[in-house]
Amino acid sequence: MNLKQMVGIESAKYVKDGMIVGLGTGSTAYYMVEEIGRRMKEEGLHITGVTTSKATEEQALGLGIPLKSIDEVSHVDLTIDGADEISADFQGTKGGGAALLFEKIVASYSKEVIWIVDESKMVNLLGKFPLPVEVIPYGSEQLLKKFNNKQYNGKIRLQEDGTPLLTDSNNYIIDLHLEAIENPQELATWLDHQVGVVEHGLFLNIVNRVIIGTSSEGVKTIEVTR
Ligand code: 5RP
């Protein structure tokens, strides 16, 4: 079993009967969704899923998981998702799979958030992994210039055919190749104030529990207290 599968399966243990569960996106979250599907089939677990991308929606529907949109539920009990990087103080970046907007919306309405990662995602300082910023296409070249005037080394994410990748909301992603984010809160606040930025991949003060897959010690679970 690979590390992503180990944490995916472990995280599904936190899902209890009757819960409304935010279902994350990516290659790690994939295993969590599969495990929830298995538990529903084999253990009679009942949940309602709130998906964070079209890809996860397709997977969940294929497994027979009943779904509602974030606007159809009163709350979300628990969201389980992957992450691109998690710093020593449990701040994170997300959006490598271009699903950061729905991921942040669903997480922000969740009573509890669990991130599932392999050990390669645990870092001292965020920023080696490019930070995704979702922007509306109109004015995106201007934003790109603005970012690059600040030496943020932004690049519009492209598809294989060289055209800009479109998110599930038909926006673009500008990846900021920052190498190190010394002050995530300051950067998040600045990005929050730029016209045309829909959302960014800094997920600050959001996670409650981190489940890490390690090759030496197996699964490690950390409760995050703030
Ligand atoms: C998608 C995400 C993913 O959760 C993140 O990129 C981690 O993905 P993976 O588990 O495939 O490494 O934020 O937008």
Side-chain angles (χ1 to χ4, degrees):
M1 196 184 294
N2 67 49
L3 299 182
K4 292 183 178 192
Q5 193 170 7
M6 269 163 52
V7 293
I9 290 173
E10 176 69 18
S11 67
K13 292 182 186 160
Y14 292 87
V15 176
K16 307 287 178 225
D17 212 40
M19 273 187 169
I20 300 173
V21 184
L23 302 173
T25 296
S27 58
T28 316
Y30 170 87
Y31 290 112
M32 169 273 295
V33 176
E34 288 294 304
E35 176 64 5
I36 290 176
R38 185 198 67 75
R39 287 191 56 201
M40 292 179 74
K41 202 163 154 220
E42 293 177 15
E43 298 172 12
L45 175 77
H46 292 93
I47 67 137
T48 301
V50 177
T51 55
T52 54
S53 62
K54 286 183 186 158
T56 302
E57 181 180 346
E58 228 170 79
Q59 183 192 3
L61 288 174
L63 292 165
I65 302 175
L67 299 179
K68 284 195 174 164
S69 85
I70 191 68
D71 288 317
E72 292 170 325
V73 296
S74 57
H75 67 283
V76 177
D77 292 295
L78 166 67
T79 289
I80 307 174
D81 204 347
D84 294 315
E85 285 184 333
I86 304 176
S87 62
D89 57 353
F90 303 105
Q91 308 296 15
T93 61
K94 291 183 47 54
L100 64 114
L101 177 57
F102 289 6
E103 289 174 336
K104 200 180 271 189
I105 291 172
V106 174
S108 70
Y109 290 104
S110 298
K111 290 182 179 170
E112 192 186 345
V113 174
I114 298 178
W115 284 342
I116 49 176
V117 291
D118 65 57
E119 56 198 345
S120 69
K121 308 283 185 75
M122 302 304 295
V123 298
N124 282 328
L125 205 60
L126 301 173
K128 265 252 169 320
F129 192 94
L131 176 70
V133 181
E134 181 156 349
V135 305
I136 63 163
Y138 187 82
S140 56
E141 286 297 331
Q142 299 298 344
L143 262 178
L144 187 62
K145 271 191 247 167
K146 200 172 193 181
F147 292 159
N148 291 346
N149 283 339
K150 289 177 80 75
Q151 317 303 326
Y152 286 171
N153 200 12
K155 293 191 172 52
I156 293 188
R157 199 182 294 183
L158 303 177
Q159 309 182 93
E160 271 176 20
D161 66 4
T163 60
L165 177 132
L166 288 178
T167 67
D168 285 350
S169 303
N170 288 326
N171 294 316
Y172 292 171
I173 297 281
I174 297 179
D175 287 306
L176 305 181
H177 296 253
L178 297 162
E179 289 303 322
I181 304 173
E182 300 288 346
N183 190 335
Q185 190 60 67
E186 194 178 81
L187 178 60
T189 304
W190 186 81
L191 289 168
D192 285 339
H193 286 90
Q194 303 313 305
V195 177
V197 168
V198 181
E199 195 47 82
H200 55 78
L202 281 163
F203 281 51
L204 307 181
N205 306 318
I206 280 183
V207 75
N208 304 104
R209 183 177 284 131
V210 178
I211 303 178
I212 309 162
T214 74
S215 37
S216 53
E217 298 168 77
V219 170
K220 281 195 341 195
T221 301
I222 301 175
E223 310 292 326
V224 180
T225 46
R226 294 187 199 283

